[in-house]
Amino acid sequence: QITLKESGPTLVKPTQTLTLTCTLSGVSVTERGVSVGWIRQPPGKALEWLAVVYWDYNKRYSPSLRSRLSVTKDTSKNQVVLTMTNMDPVDTATYFCAHRREGPGQGWFHPWGQGTLVTVSS
Amino acid sequence: DIQMTQSPSSLSASVGDSVTLTCRASEDIRTYVAWFQQKPGGAPKSLIYGASTLHSGVPSKFSGSGSGTDFTLTINSLQPEDFATYFCQQYYVYPFTFGPGTILDFK
């Protein structure tokens, strides 16, 4: 059974950098075909895809946030780390990580972590 | 970017009803659509991938169809636990995009 859990600060100040960690169990972040995505959801709003990191360290980012995002892996801890710079109150959202598998006809996000609410406020 | 729209934005129904939710993509995405159910304060739960394939453990009361730009999610015999928000998502091309959701609530 694959599970994911997000962790990180619940409150950050404007202009600060946010660092969130996604810890996976039941699958290795180095396993061929495995990728991990980050998705966020402002309160009462829709989901927004942010980034994906692949088993081979390839990465893809949302074009609108590319300049502020970085995603890396810590293979020793089976974790994926998302960094977002220059945080603003509009970045207040629940941040989710989700497992994804590459392959013909594949690519959906499943399962998801429980999410972590990050509030940006001074 | 591919825009995903959903209709209706909200829908009121009763226990026992059947409902059909619609998702439309701005471009052809073949069958690279997933549907999720989300309850307040919870994470999205995967229901369907490939437009019509149910994830393991999802009741057969849920069904999906469509290809190209038009997709539907049908829920039969609504039960109290089915009242939630439903999102569609395309994973055909980057950037992945989600629909704004349909809120299904009690009539």
Side-chain angles (χ1 to χ4, degrees), chain B residues 89-102:
Chain B
Q89 181 228 337
Q90 67 83 15
Y91 53 96
Y92 184 55
V93 293
Y94 287 105
F96 299 144
T97 45
F98 293 84
T102 293

Side-chain angles (χ1 to χ4, degrees), chain A residues 7-85:
Chain A
S7 59
T10 58
L11 178 67
V12 298
K13 297 185 187 316
T15 75
Q16 286 187 336
T17 295
L18 171 69
T19 299
L20 294 174
T21 300
C22 177
T23 302
L24 286 83
S25 62
V27 67
S28 170
V29 296
T30 62
E31 180 181 330
R32 184 176 182 81
V34 170
S35 61
V36 176
W38 286 95
I39 303 102
R40 71 178 178 178
Q41 185 176 37
K45 297 188 178 181
L47 298 157
E48 179 184 18
W49 171 73
L50 301 176
V52 165
V53 60
Y54 292 84
W55 74 95
D56 60 2
Y57 293 89
N58 276 322
K59 305 160 190 179
R60 298 294 298 264
Y61 296 103
S62 166
S64 62
L65 293 167
R66 182 193 309 274
S67 63
R68 299 173 53 207
L69 291 174
S70 176
V71 61
T72 59
K73 295 192 297 183
D74 184 336
T75 58
S76 67
K77 298 179 180 178
N78 210 34
Q79 294 176 334
V80 172
V81 178
L82 177 76
T83 302
M84 180 180 290
T85 61

